[in-house]
Amino acid sequence: MSRPPALDPLFRSLRSIKGVGPQLGALLNRFFGGEGDTIALDLLMHMPTGLVDRRRMVGIAMAPPGHTSTLRLHIDRHIAPPRGRASQPHRVFAHDQTGEILLVYFRAQGNWIEKLLPVGEERFVSGTVGIFNGVKQITHPDYVVDVADFETMPLVEPVYPLTHGLTTKALTKLVRATVETLPELPEWIVPERLEQFPWPTFREAMTKVHVPKEPSDSELWGAARMRLAYDEYLAGQLALLIVRSTLVAAKGISRSFTGEITGRVESALPFELTDSQQLAITIIREDLAKPTRMSRLLQGDVGAGKTVVALMAMAAVAEGGAQSALMAPTELLAAQHLRTIQPLAEKAGLTVALLTGKQPAAERRAVLEGIASGAVNIVLGTHALFQGAVEFADLGLVVVDEQHRFGVSQRLALTDKGRHADLLVMTATPIPRTLVLTHFGDMDVSVLRDKPRGRQPIDTAVLSIGEYDRVIARLRARIEQGAQAFWVTPLVEESEVLDVVSAEDRYAALRDVFGDQVALVHGRMSAAAKQEVMDRFKANEVKILVATTVIEVGVDVPNATIMIIEHAERFGLAQLHQLRGRVGRGAQRSACLLLYKEPLSETARARLETIRDTEDGFVIAERDLDLRGQGDLLGTRQSGMPGYHLAVADVHKHLLEYAHNDARSIWRSNPGLTGPHGEALRALLYLFRKDLALPLIRAG
């Protein structure tokens, strides 16, 4: 089914609108950054970030400096700049019953100002009032209108994010022209929800936000913005459900288990499984036994033992004769998974292989043959696992590590290699419930809450860098007792060059005190050089490792019990939490020291206090969402994360739960999106650019 014709006006190129020439068209294309021409819908979704209230009409004497006022002025005289003195302004003297004011224009060519403000006549003038040499003035007024045309001046005017060369006036005019073409669309919100929230229609809501009569019309917590945020969430949730139904549609394989291989893996483990690991394994086995495809997200904090749960799932699949593939975001992490998994799997009689892009051709060919023949039970690698040359004998389970780097479309591509493969996704970033719904609404979720037995709590302290000498003295004492420490410096402004300088500076300063006991590792070193330093640190030949955030993920040195993070105020909460998780892995008690540089912003102080007060990654993630909004909660690697234009997480996140539940009940009762309500929902998906999901709906 094609796009509803009622939406056509919103999908036309802005170049077809009167007044948009090639120059403005090119500017808008660059600003909105779409593929092809910017369309009317792009303008509609461009939300104002504030308002100018021009309703204050108090007279010159009462007009407060620094604020916008609208004045009814009598124009007295003009003084143009002398010839050849273009830097001097054109000044217009005016008055009302309460006082006098000056209107100032710089670089005014020709006589248009005299025509705009004719001497002896009255005009409404609106702009920001200033004071210069004790006289009130407005420089470059926003509006000047004839008394008869007062109606045309917008008294409450939205303020939009702009780009160089794009004026508020030009954008406002275009947005208003677009709002006028907005059709009245059939209602897609279910009646029960509209009874609970008496929201305006989609068209009324858009009109209120872009052409407000009162400042309250476009407030984030006003009915219009609430309605639009809910609509955006509903479109996202519905699209995820459609994708999920494609993944999970009854074409999985009902797997059976003997318990032999999983039993051997469990008895090979050097520790007992935690309660939440046991529970996750049980639920995953139930999923695998069903005839539908599994689509499950396994969330676990740093060190909660997700890899072991994945191994137990892969062992269970092997009992039915099928293969598993584990995909990691980097070759370094794939190799680390191999070190964890291989010894345990081999004790249980399973063959494990690593497939990477850098393997010698002969070795790679042998691995590919093993995968194709079924001799390899478990294959580990990066996304290269799912490229053309790799053929599986019978791929039963795909495990993806660090999900937030893979979007929905990649999820579909992955499991295409195994037409009936189940999907298990693992993430070490504790994701708050709101974001789980936003980005994984198409998946079931298991959470590993408890830490493996024997994990020690970490003492966390916050100190000013002014205490440096004290820190060094304490560190020396701990090193003499046999401890090892990480000393992390930030990526400064994400500039690789500056990053290395700061790490090298700290390395040099520490070498003056500790000599050869200090080593350095950073992102610009080759993989081999990094590994060599890490191996020396692991072997306890080096006592202090100075590092940038390259150690954030997947470094395991049980003897390291001290983590010092310099410039901690520059790190995000999730990053601080990940870095702290590098210690506390052995039997000794560990410490984490957050060193900050004054002055601290309120947000930075709140972040450091949060890390000091709790080790629970889920509490930290919720706090992170409150402090930063959802934009970059999952760090700078959040490619493929659906961004929102209308919904603002900290104001509207309560609506996500409603949208999620409504999408589920709609999908249960009308999976084909048929009938009048189905058509309204299809229009919603087009409006929010989620129509790529529509071809996936099977007829009826």
Side-chain angles (χ1 to χ4, degrees):
M1 178 189 146
S2 55
R3 185 174 70 224
L7 297 179
D8 288 347
L10 298 179
F11 283 83
R12 66 190 173 133
S13 161
L14 289 183
R15 289 172 190 261
S16 67
I17 295 178
K18 194 168 165 252
V20 179
Q23 207 174 350
L24 182 56
L27 187 67
L28 290 165
N29 285 351
R30 270 203 311 280
F31 183 45
F32 287 104
E35 317 238 317
D37 274 2
T38 301
I39 58 172
L41 184 61
D42 294 320
L43 284 181
L44 213 52
M45 297 296 182
H46 189 58
M47 290 285 110
T49 49
L51 283 173
V52 179
D53 188 351
R54 302 187 187 285
R55 297 173 308 164
R56 187 187 279 114
M57 295 187 186
V58 287
I60 295 168
M62 304 294 288
H67 292 271
T68 299
S69 285
T70 301
L71 305 168
R72 182 172 180 159
L73 301 178
H74 184 276
I75 309 304
D76 298 326
R77 63 197 168 102
H78 286 249
I79 298 183
R83 268 176 185 250
R85 305 287 292 278
S87 62
Q88 290 199 9
H90 182 117
R91 290 174 298 166
V92 183
F93 292 82
H95 75 276
D96 68 7
Q97 291 155 341
T98 71
E100 297 183 335
I101 195 162
L102 199 55
L103 308 176
V104 179
Y105 290 87
F106 286 92
R107 303 206 173 277
Q109 308 280 318
N111 61 349
W112 63 272
I113 299 181
E114 284 88 344
K115 288 180 182 163
L116 183 71
L117 295 155
V119 172
E121 294 197 20
E122 288 201 335
R123 291 288 183 269
F124 275 101
V125 176
S126 187
T128 305
V129 176
I131 290 188
F132 185 69
N133 287 342
V135 178
K136 284 191 175 173
Q137 65 177 39
I138 296 178
T139 305
H140 291 277
D142 300 325
Y143 287 92
V144 174
V145 298
D146 199 319
V147 174
D149 295 332
F150 179 65
E151 292 298 305
T152 64
M153 186 196 293
L155 290 182
V156 179
E157 190 178 29
V159 176
Y160 296 95
L162 298 169
T163 182
H164 182 66
L166 183 61
T167 63
T168 296
K169 243 180 193 159
L171 189 63
T172 304
K173 196 172 155 194
L174 279 175
V175 172
R176 286 175 174 240
T178 303
V179 169
E180 279 166 22
T181 64
L182 231 179
E184 196 61 80
L185 297 165
E187 184 56 81
W188 46 74
I189 301 183
V190 294
E192 307 84 74
R193 195 61 69 210
L194 285 174
E195 271 168 39
Q196 182 185 3
F197 299 114
W199 288 327
T201 65
F202 180 78
R203 183 174 179 217
E204 286 164 357
M206 275 293 180
T207 307
K208 271 181 185 290
V209 168
H210 289 298
V211 191
K213 298 268 189 294
E214 305 278 329
S216 59
D217 285 348
S218 68
E219 279 170 344
L220 282 176
W221 46 90
R225 277 303 289 271
M226 287 284 186
R227 151 90 207 213
L228 297 175
Y230 170 88
D231 287 341
E232 188 168 31
Y233 283 146
L234 183 66
Q237 292 301 302
L238 203 51
L240 280 172
L241 284 174
I242 295 170
V243 169
R244 181 204 168 95
S245 72
T246 310
L247 270 178
V248 180
K251 46 181 187 185
I253 287 177
S254 172
R255 305 191 185 278
S256 52
F257 315 108
T258 60
E260 268 178 51
I261 302 176
T262 43
R264 289 204 292 267
V265 171
E266 197 171 342
S267 56
L269 291 175
F271 48 79
E272 268 183 56
L273 293 169
T274 65
D275 294 345
S276 51
Q277 281 176 319
Q278 295 274 21
L279 180 64
I281 291 164
T282 304
I283 291 172
I284 288 168
R285 286 173 73 112
E286 285 168 7
D287 282 355
L288 294 171
K290 289 175 188 163
T292 49
R293 290 166 83 176
M294 171 171 80
S295 180
R296 183 168 288 281
L297 176 69
L298 178 63
Q299 273 189 274
D301 210 341
V302 184
K306 295 175 295 297
T307 311
V308 171
V309 173
L311 174 57
M312 291 293 281
M314 296 191 285
V317 168
E319 290 175 353
Q323 297 163 293
S324 297
L326 189 155
M327 174 162 95
T330 64
E331 296 197 351
L332 200 76
L333 277 174
Q336 183 151 322
H337 279 308
L338 181 74
R339 286 198 290 278
T340 308
I341 288 171
Q342 196 163 26
L344 296 168
E346 286 181 348
K347 280 182 187 158
L350 295 172
T351 310
V352 184
L354 179 67
L355 186 69
T356 72
K358 298 200 176 84
Q359 270 167 323
E363 189 181 319
R364 188 179 164 81
R365 207 165 34 248
V367 172
L368 287 172
E369 281 168 14
I371 296 170
S373 70
V376 170
N377 306 106
I378 296 173
V379 56
L380 312 174
T382 60
H383 59 279
L385 287 176
F386 297 95
Q387 277 148 14
V390 187
E391 289 297 332
F392 290 86
D394 176 11
L395 179 59
L397 174 65
V398 175
V399 182
V400 179
D401 189 16
E402 287 299 325
Q403 156 67 18
H404 53 260
R405 308 185 192 194
F406 305 104
V408 167
S409 51
Q410 287 97 316
R411 278 182 232 175
L412 286 169
L414 296 184
T415 46
D416 278 353
K417 277 280 177 197
R419 274 171 301 287
H420 310 290
D422 292 292
L423 177 64
L424 177 67
V425 158
M426 309 192 291
T427 176
T429 308
I431 308 172
R433 172 143 178 84
T434 29
L435 285 188
V436 168
L437 290 183
T438 312
H439 308 299
F440 311 102
D442 58 327
M443 306 189 91
D444 297 309
V445 182
S446 290
V447 179
L448 300 180
R449 282 267 176 197
D450 34 352
K451 288 262 174 39
R453 292 181 178 83
R455 269 296 173 102
Q456 298 293 324
I458 301 167
D459 301 317
T460 304
V462 179
L463 267 186
S464 160
I465 191 71
E467 306 274 347
Y468 179 76
D469 293 340
R470 240 181 81 198
V471 173
I472 292 296
R474 187 83 194 90
L475 182 60
R476 178 186 270 136
R478 292 293 305 275
I479 297 288
E480 282 167 5
Q481 291 162 6
Q484 281 180 281
F486 291 101
W487 190 304
V488 178
T489 64
L491 279 154
V492 182
E493 266 82 51
E494 293 205 83
S495 146
E496 289 292 336
V497 182
L498 289 172
D499 138 32
V500 174
V501 172
S502 63
E504 284 181 346
D505 287 354
R506 180 53 62 218
Y507 169 62
L510 289 172
R511 270 190 76 95
D512 288 346
V513 181
F514 296 98
D516 289 345
Q517 292 182 304
V518 190
L520 172 68
V521 60
H522 59 68
R524 296 186 68 184
M525 292 162 64
S526 70
K530 272 192 284 215
Q531 197 59 56
E532 193 254 335
V533 174
M534 290 305 305
D535 290 344
R536 283 176 53 218
F537 187 57
K538 235 179 190 160
N540 207 350
E541 293 165 22
V542 168
K543 299 296 182 188
I544 301 171
L545 184 66
V546 180
T548 55
T549 51
V550 291
I551 62 155
E552 187 184 338
V553 180
V555 173
D556 199 359
V557 182
N559 192 51
T561 54
I562 301 166
M563 169 63 72
I564 298 172
I565 303 172
E566 190 169 353
H567 277 305
E569 76 279 359
R570 284 179 168 264
F571 292 91
L573 265 176
Q575 246 186 341
L576 289 170
H577 180 59
Q578 288 275 0
L579 287 167
R580 176 171 60 185
R582 300 293 120 225
V583 296
R585 295 176 160 240
Q588 294 100 349
R589 205 165 169 113
S590 290
C592 174
L593 185 55
L594 306 173
L595 292 177
Y596 65 86
K597 191 174 174 192
E598 296 282 13
L600 269 186
S601 70
E602 280 304 301
T603 310
R605 189 175 298 283
R607 277 207 298 267
L608 298 182
E609 285 170 0
T610 300
I611 288 287
R612 185 193 64 203
D613 297 342
T614 179
E615 275 189 69
D616 184 325
F618 291 89
V619 172
I620 289 167
E622 289 288 355
R623 188 81 183 100
D624 204 5
L625 186 62
D626 295 339
L627 287 175
R628 287 207 284 180
Q630 68 157 40
D632 50 12
L633 182 67
L634 301 182
T636 48
R637 287 190 297 265
Q638 47 152 30
S639 55
M641 298 296 277
Y644 286 110
H645 296 289
L646 315 189
V648 176
D650 26 357
V651 182
H652 300 131
K653 66 180 178 185
H654 65 291
L655 297 173
L656 183 54
E657 197 88 40
Y658 294 125
H660 178 69
N661 295 337
D662 293 350
R664 288 189 88 133
S665 63
I666 287 166
W667 191 243
R668 272 199 298 272
S669 61
N670 185 3
L673 297 190
T674 53
H677 188 222
E679 294 203 4
L681 289 159
R682 285 168 184 259
L684 168 76
L685 291 171
Y686 275 105
L687 278 173
F688 287 95
R689 312 286 178 86
K690 303 288 186 198
D691 48 291
L692 286 173
L694 286 171
L696 300 174
I697 299 176
R698 274 164 315 290

